Amino acid sequence: MEEDYIKLIFGLKLKQIRTDKNLSLFGLSKLSGLSKSYLNEIENGKKYPKPDKIALLSDKLEVPYDQMVSLRLDKNLAPIGELLQSKILKEIPLELFGIKESNLIDIVANAPTKVTAFISTIIEIAHHYSFSKESFFLAAVRSFQEANNNYFDDLEQQVLNFSKAYQVDLTSSLTSKVLEEILTEEYGYVINDNELSKNEALGNLRSVFVPQTKTLLLATGIDEAQRTFIFAKEIAYNYLDIKDRLHTFPWIKFQRFDQVLNNFYASYFAGALIIPKDNLTSQLESFFEKKIFDEAHFLQMLEAFNASPESFYQRLTNILPKAFNIKNLFFLRFTHKQGTEKFILNKELHLTHHHSPRANETNEHYCRRWVSLKGLKEISKSGNDHEFGVQISNYPSHGTTYLVISSATKDPFKNNQYRSVSIGLLINKQLERKVNFLGDKAIPWREVGVTCERCGIIDCKVRQAPAIILDREAKNKKIENIVEELNFRFQS
């Protein structure tokens, strides 16, 4: 364990033993002959006493020496010990969020019982919802993105520096051939297009990087846009000098938070390289100036870059907050298997303080009125390569309305499986100032909920389950009102 953590655990144990014996710091000082300030520093995890001092405290407090120096904590403090020994505070770069690790340690030391109760609650919730360490790391990255409005100027500048150094033309559509030449000539990569297809168990992987030989194994099913993105990510790892990285795409597992964060950095760099900021900003300005929603114009923008719909929609979440001050937005990615009624929300980002729509982990049914789900149902029936949709979604229960744009496509690696990506822009004064076509009557307008179980829309024809959560809340509210009325009546 880290030395700081060992000091903290000893301090927590000493404080607990002292308080259990109804001793003040002053009282322990008188009993042991050690100064009050010295004992205070020990209890706050600032100092670790020498063996003779521990022996003295052990004798005066009548606690075995081995028990005092043991890293085991009793049940009241055990969750703190688990947290410290898990090294999770070391794995997450707290400085990203402006937090010093020493500050957290001070909080733990000053209020161990309350912090223990809080940690126990978090652990219980995590277990209840099967919230893994990986989920926690991914949530931390999302929080980091949201805190920065998902725009990182240093990475944008690095893309410009790279394009200048390697004479990459950002005004034209970037091809995989251009990036492959840089990978092989500059970074000594070997590209292998055949090996992955030999192993059926690796069918879901698009690429595997073998660092010892700098060999990049590619799946045979990837298209030109995916190939370009993979090459751009590999360039990012090398150009940004990232060593602690993931070696598969998509990832299988990761050991440290830095790997998750570095994967995000590399993906951001790749997106910014393939879809340059200035080019996309210019096209969006032209698109937003129109009085009607021009679907053909939007699809033309999407196809202007050698990128998948997901990469394009993700890139919108970088550019809209920075270039247009449109910061209240969300991004969702759903997957759906043909012939089922199950829709899985497996990626989300919210640059907004509003709570809808969000992923639900309790097997509730997502609102079938969402354009994201409508596109998935349409493409699973039509067999088309791409289903596009736009909708104004009003959430009456939350008082919010979004302009939602969505694309559904086939999953090239899974039979009869489809995915949709959507971006939702909160309709407010800022959006009305920047987007001229919001008044277009041709854009479908629908009242929506989050899940059927929480939705109060009475005449919904596509409801999958009764509003049991909403009904329970209404029932509890009614009981609460009756109890208040009875209290008032019998008090007067």
Side-chain angles (χ1 to χ4, degrees):
M1 288 185 68
E2 295 287 333
E3 184 181 344
D4 287 345
Y5 292 172
I6 294 173
K7 290 178 184 177
L8 178 58
I9 286 177
F10 185 89
L12 290 173
K13 293 182 75 169
L14 179 61
K15 187 172 186 176
Q16 186 177 43
I17 292 167
R18 174 178 63 78
T19 53
D20 285 348
K21 293 182 179 292
N22 293 318
L23 277 171
S24 65
L25 266 177
F26 180 85
L28 181 57
S29 174
K30 296 289 286 183
L31 182 66
S32 64
L34 302 175
S35 72
K36 180 182 171 183
S37 60
Y38 177 65
L39 291 170
N40 186 55
E41 287 186 300
I42 293 174
E43 289 191 357
N44 285 321
K46 299 288 191 281
K47 287 186 177 180
Y48 192 88
K50 292 181 179 179
D52 61 321
K53 299 293 193 298
I54 297 175
L56 175 64
L57 290 168
S58 169
D59 178 55
K60 298 300 182 183
L61 292 169
E62 298 178 342
V63 175
Y65 182 96
D66 290 346
Q67 182 181 331
M68 291 203 70
V69 297
S70 170
L71 295 179
R72 293 186 63 184
L73 295 166
D74 69 18
K75 64 178 182 180
N76 292 326
L77 296 176
I80 289 180
E82 290 176 17
L83 178 72
L84 299 178
Q85 293 189 58
S86 71
K87 297 184 179 179
I88 198 166
L89 296 181
K90 290 293 182 187
E91 291 175 347
I92 298 177
L94 296 167
E95 65 274 7
L96 287 177
F97 302 97
I99 301 171
K100 291 182 179 179
E101 185 183 349
S102 58
N103 292 344
L104 286 184
I105 291 175
D106 285 343
I107 292 171
V108 173
N110 290 326
T113 305
K114 293 179 180 178
V115 174
T116 298
F118 175 73
I119 293 171
S120 296
T121 302
I122 297 299
I123 290 173
E124 186 176 340
I125 292 172
H127 287 164
H128 183 72
Y129 290 100
S130 300
F131 198 71
S132 64
K133 186 170 95 170
E134 288 83 1
S135 300
F136 179 77
F137 284 169
L138 291 170
V141 170
R142 285 198 301 272
S143 296
F144 176 54
Q145 291 176 255
E146 292 164 9
N148 290 277
N149 289 318
N150 203 30
Y151 181 83
F152 297 86
D153 196 59
D154 54 336
L155 292 174
E156 300 280 351
Q157 188 58 51
Q158 290 279 39
V159 167
L160 296 178
N161 295 343
F162 169 80
S163 67
K164 182 178 180 181
Y166 289 88
Q167 290 297 289
V168 175
D169 183 8
L170 295 183
T171 62
S172 61
S173 182
L174 194 60
T175 66
S176 64
K177 185 177 180 181
V178 170
L179 300 183
E180 182 175 355
E181 185 179 7
I182 295 172
L183 280 176
T184 55
E185 295 294 328
E186 182 70 11
Y187 298 116
Y189 271 52
V190 176
I191 310 298
N192 185 312
D193 292 290
N194 304 311
E195 192 63 32
L196 278 188
S197 60
K198 296 178 182 178
N199 196 319
E200 189 176 343
L202 303 180
N204 290 333
L205 294 181
R206 291 153 177 78
S207 68
V208 175
F209 177 64
V210 183
Q212 292 82 358
T213 58
K214 286 195 171 182
T215 301
L216 184 63
L217 309 175
L218 297 176
T220 54
I222 62 173
D223 59 23
E224 166 63 11
Q226 291 170 330
R227 190 181 184 93
T228 303
F229 182 78
I230 291 168
F231 287 166
K233 264 188 88 169
E234 291 299 323
I235 285 175
Y237 282 129
N238 287 273
Y239 187 74
L240 300 176
D241 195 28
I242 295 173
K243 298 292 191 294
D244 196 6
R245 54 161 292 181
L246 303 174
H247 293 120
T248 63
F249 176 65
W251 60 270
I252 301 173
K253 66 175 182 177
F254 42 76
Q255 286 80 31
R256 294 169 296 280
F257 177 75
D258 278 352
Q259 292 177 336
V260 187
L261 185 62
N262 289 336
N263 179 67
F264 164 70
Y265 286 150
S267 297
Y268 189 104
F269 182 100
L273 179 62
I274 297 168
I275 308 175
K277 178 180 68 173
D278 291 344
N279 190 340
L280 180 56
T281 300
S282 176
Q283 294 199 42
L284 285 170
E285 286 173 348
S286 174
F287 176 64
F288 288 156
E289 284 174 358
K290 298 197 172 185
K291 296 292 185 182
I292 61 168
F293 182 88
D294 191 337
E295 179 179 326
H297 190 159
F298 185 89
L299 294 176
Q300 185 180 358
M301 274 196 303
L302 194 156
E303 293 164 4
F305 304 98
N306 186 14
S308 67
E310 180 169 350
S311 293
F312 181 78
Y313 280 67
Q314 291 256 35
R315 188 63 174 143
L316 291 177
T317 69
N318 306 140
I319 300 306
L320 291 175
K322 178 64 177 178
F324 299 91
N325 200 30
I326 299 173
K327 297 178 180 178
N328 291 293
L329 58 83
F330 65 77
F331 169 89
L332 304 178
R333 182 182 70 192
F334 278 94
T335 57
H336 170 64
K337 190 165 186 177
Q338 188 177 34
T340 72
E341 280 297 328
K342 192 167 186 179
F343 298 87
I344 301 172
L345 177 52
N346 50 22
K347 196 169 189 178
E348 62 178 327
L349 179 71
H350 297 265
L351 303 189
T352 172
H353 296 297
H354 299 285
H355 299 292
S356 298
R358 287 185 180 272
N360 186 287
E361 302 294 338
T362 55
N363 295 319
E364 295 179 27
H365 298 77
Y366 293 112
C367 179
R368 296 314 198 252
R369 294 181 171 208
W370 288 356
V371 68
S372 312
L373 274 55
K374 181 173 176 285
L376 284 170
K377 296 202 75 166
E378 287 177 352
I379 197 169
S380 67
K381 292 177 181 177
S382 70
N384 294 334
D385 292 331
H386 184 192
E387 289 287 350
F388 178 80
V390 61
Q391 176 176 302
I392 292 178
S393 296
N394 178 51
Y395 289 82
S397 59
H398 294 90
T400 55
T401 305
Y402 290 89
L403 170 70
V404 186
I405 302 172
S406 182
S407 286
T409 57
K410 295 178 181 178
D411 188 330
F413 294 91
K414 295 181 180 178
N415 291 330
N416 301 319
Q417 185 140 319
Y418 302 87
R419 56 196 177 189
S420 73
V421 287
S422 307
I423 187 167
L425 313 179
L426 181 69
I427 297 180
N428 55 16
K429 293 297 183 183
Q430 178 61 17
L431 195 70
E432 290 170 353
R433 280 193 292 267
K434 294 293 182 179
V435 179
N436 286 332
F437 56 70
L438 288 180
D440 183 2
K441 301 297 183 183
I443 301 176
W445 187 97
R446 301 200 79 181
E447 285 197 346
V448 299
V450 180
T451 66
C452 294
E453 288 80 354
R454 300 170 189 271
C455 180
I457 300 174
I458 298 173
D459 60 344
C460 182
K461 301 291 192 297
V462 289
R463 180 181 287 280
Q464 301 294 304
I468 55 176
I469 305 294
L470 206 63
D471 292 344
R472 187 189 308 149
E473 291 175 354
K475 183 179 179 181
N476 290 340
K477 185 64 178 176
K478 184 178 180 180
I479 293 171
E480 182 184 332
N481 290 338
I482 293 173
V483 170
E484 286 183 4
E485 185 179 325
L486 289 171
N487 282 332
F488 178 76
R489 189 192 309 168
F490 285 96
Q491 282 175 359
S492 42

